């Protein structure tokens, strides 16, 4: 069939860009929604082209990662060549990466375009759409063609992250592609058999940040955040004022920590923002001050080792202790912390060993640490955090309804 005749025939079968809200003439739809926890797919066909879009997680929580896979195939008939493809992700989905697996001819006949990436741009525009194209090196067709060869199979993989502030509710997704010799771009937006939504987080969280009260400019210190409950899934972004410190840190066992080096003197308000996933809500920790100063070149290093029990009972006193060591005479104080909250007063170091008796008032994991401020001739230091699991006080025998049986003063055998 001559190309001009084929174009006229195909154009009668397509609605092109007008197929935005409904299915157009010549477009068959297969697939549809399945169980909420399972991937969902929808297939569209037009002329001899079949395109299937699969979403691996149709009902994510904010913070979750979602992978969308698109497979474009030729279903018999003449060869087809893909010029460009646009993915329309649901609102609030942030692109992480794109991968393409597409056979392409040229510049050598029959050559693979390993790893079969696209020409451009592979980025998300302000409206949220992600467009790829294969036409930077010309649009010649045939064995040495430079466009994606559909009859060899085209697989596109888009990885998104649901924004932490994404509002719960239903979502739509769609796609569009431009096939060489077709009269117009094929637009399927929305794909109305994909039942997508963003779920409301179901588990509330709290976040506390732990930082040393003082730090030397140019010397690394540890910033730590404790997220409750300890099985919370997500990441923590540390901040110095309104400025992000590095990349988000994954939470493991309720803790996220990172090493950071301050480059300026003065007070730094360090906070932490937890972005939950898998049903955990977001939470944030208020800023805590770190006083940063240029160190005395002659000052000696110090080390702080904290000791705390692995387990404790709410309402019962336990001993927290810290040992500070240095080659210089020790001056300064030690502050104990529960998460980011100070425990008791600052304690003069004295001979290097300090301790405090503490009563936990709440159950669950508590992140306990100690920080030495330093002083003339000696630099400050901080211990690593230690988890203390605090349990409820056990119920004493005899306090139930039968307790009076053993509570009398009678003496047997008298």
């Amino acid at each position: 069939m001559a190309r001009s005749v084929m174009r006229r025939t195909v154009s009668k079968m397509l609605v092109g860009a007008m197929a935005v809200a409904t299915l157009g003439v010549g477009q068959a739809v297969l697939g549809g929604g399945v169980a909420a926890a399972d991937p969902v797919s929808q297939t569209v066909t037009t002329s001899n082209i079949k395109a299937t879009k699969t979403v691996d997680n149709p009902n994510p929580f904010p913070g979750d990662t979602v992978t969308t896979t698109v497979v474009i195939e030729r279903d018999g008939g003449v060869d087809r060549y893909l010029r460009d493809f646009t993915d329309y992700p649901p609102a609030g989905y942030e692109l992480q990466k794109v991968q393409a697996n597409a056979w392409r001819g040229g510049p050598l006949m029959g050559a693979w375009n390993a790893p079969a990436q696209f020409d451009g741009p592979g980025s998300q525009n302000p409206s949220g759409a992600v467009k790829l194209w294969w036409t930077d090196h010309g649009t010649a067709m045939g064995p040495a063609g430079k466009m994606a060869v559909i009859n060899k199979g085209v697989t596109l993989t888009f990885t998104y992250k649901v924004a932490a502030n994404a509002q719960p509710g239903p979502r739509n997704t769609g796609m569009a592609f431009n096939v060489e010799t077709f009269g117009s771009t094929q637009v399927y937006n929305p794909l109305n058999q994909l039942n997508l939504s963003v779920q409301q987080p179901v588990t509330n969280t709290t976040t506390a940040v732990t930082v040393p009260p003082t730090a030397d400019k140019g010397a690394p210190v540890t910033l730590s955040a404790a997220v409750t409950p300890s099985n919370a899934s997500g990441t923590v972004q540390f901040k110095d004022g309104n400025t992000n410190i590095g990349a988000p840190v994954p939470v493991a066992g309720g803790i996220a920590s990172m090493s950071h080096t301050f480059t300026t003197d003065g007070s730094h308000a360090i906070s932490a923002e937890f972005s939950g996933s898998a049903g955990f809500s977001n939470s944030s920790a208020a800023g805590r001050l770190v006083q940063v100063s240029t160190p005395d070149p002659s000052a000696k290093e110090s080390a702080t080792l904290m000791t705390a029990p692995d387990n404790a009972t709410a309402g019962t006193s336990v001993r927290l202790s810290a040992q500070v060591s240095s080659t210089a005479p020790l001056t300064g104080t030690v502050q104990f912390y529960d998460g980011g909250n100070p425990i008791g007063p600052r304690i003069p170091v004295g001979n290097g060993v300090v301790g405090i008796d503490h009563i936990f008032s709440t159950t669950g994991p508590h992140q306990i640490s100690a920080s030495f401020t330093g002083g003339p001739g000696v630099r400050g230091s901080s211990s690593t955090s230690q988890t203390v699991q605090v349990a409820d006080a056990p119920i004493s025998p005899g306090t139930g309804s039968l307790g009076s049986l053993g509570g009398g003063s009678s003496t047997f055998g008298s």
Side-chain angles (χ1 to χ4, degrees):
M1 180 182 297
R3 183 183 301 180
S4 60
V5 175
M6 180 173 66
R7 182 180 290 112
R8 288 195 298 271
T9 302
V10 171
S11 65
K12 294 179 183 179
M13 300 175 62
L14 305 174
V15 294
M18 297 182 65
V20 174
T22 60
L23 297 175
V25 177
Q27 301 171 8
V29 177
L30 310 174
V34 292
D38 297 329
V40 294
S41 298
Q42 184 170 338
T43 299
V44 298
T45 62
T46 177
S47 185
N48 64 333
I49 297 297
K50 180 172 69 173
T52 300
K53 183 171 187 175
T54 301
V55 180
D56 74 331
N57 185 0
N59 307 117
F61 294 97
D64 283 355
T65 297
V66 178
T67 300
T68 294
T69 304
V70 178
V71 177
I72 304 175
E73 305 169 278
R74 178 188 66 127
D75 189 14
V78 299
D79 292 349
R80 297 296 191 195
Y81 303 88
L82 184 64
R83 297 172 60 89
D84 59 65
F85 179 90
T86 301
D87 190 53
Y88 298 103
Y93 283 41
E94 300 171 342
L95 181 68
Q96 305 298 298
K97 64 179 180 179
V98 183
Q99 293 176 298
N101 186 359
W103 192 93
R104 223 168 39 169
L108 300 176
M109 185 176 293
W112 279 90
N113 181 31
Q117 290 298 319
F118 39 85
D119 295 331
S123 58
Q124 193 167 23
N125 67 29
S127 71
V130 180
K131 185 174 183 178
L132 315 176
W133 62 67
W134 290 265
T135 57
D136 278 6
H137 304 288
T139 60
M141 296 187 298
K146 298 175 179 63
M147 293 176 291
V149 185
I150 295 178
N151 59 292
K152 297 288 188 178
V154 174
T155 301
L156 311 175
T157 305
F158 302 83
T159 303
Y160 297 99
K161 184 174 182 179
V162 184
N165 61 353
Q167 294 300 307
R171 291 294 195 275
N172 291 318
T173 189
M175 61 182 177
F177 49 86
N178 184 358
V179 176
E180 181 74 6
T181 75
F182 279 14
S184 59
T185 298
Q186 311 309 298
V187 181
Y188 306 88
N189 188 26
L191 289 165
N192 55 11
Q193 290 194 7
L194 295 180
N195 297 318
L196 310 179
S197 68
V198 173
Q199 298 188 66
Q200 175 74 46
V202 294
T203 303
N204 291 327
T205 67
T206 59
T207 300
V209 67
T210 300
V211 297
T214 61
D216 290 339
K217 184 176 73 173
V221 296
T222 298
L223 311 179
S224 180
V227 180
T228 303
S230 60
N231 65 335
S233 174
T235 60
V236 165
Q237 177 65 66
F238 291 95
K239 289 178 173 286
D240 186 346
N242 294 322
T243 303
N244 289 343
I245 300 175
V249 180
V251 175
I255 298 296
S257 62
M258 68 178 298
S259 178
H260 177 61
T261 301
F262 292 99
T263 58
T264 59
D265 288 344
S267 295
H268 294 255
I270 307 302
S271 61
E273 295 182 354
F274 172 67
S275 296
S277 62
F280 291 94
S281 68
N282 302 334
S283 57
S284 59
R288 295 195 173 275
L289 291 180
V290 180
Q291 191 65 39
V292 181
S293 58
T294 301
D296 177 357
S298 63
K300 303 299 183 180
E301 298 289 343
S302 70
T304 300
L305 177 65
M306 189 209 63
T307 303
D310 293 333
N311 300 282
T313 301
T316 301
S317 177
V318 295
R319 186 71 173 176
L320 309 177
S321 62
Q323 181 174 348
V324 181
S325 59
S326 176
T327 57
L330 291 174
T331 59
T333 61
V334 167
Q335 176 70 66
F336 290 93
Y337 291 91
D338 183 349
N341 301 309
I343 298 175
R346 293 190 177 278
I347 306 171
V349 173
N351 63 359
V353 178
V354 299
I356 187 172
D357 293 320
H358 178 60
I359 297 175
F360 292 99
S361 59
T362 59
T363 60
H366 291 252
Q367 301 302 318
I368 308 302
S369 61
S371 181
F372 169 56
T373 60
V378 60
R379 297 177 184 176
S381 58
S382 297
S383 74
T384 58
S385 295
Q386 178 179 334
T387 301
V388 178
Q389 292 288 345
V390 180
D392 280 320
I395 299 175
S396 300
T399 59
S401 59
L402 298 179
S404 60
L405 292 178
S409 59
S410 300
T411 303
F412 293 94
S414 57

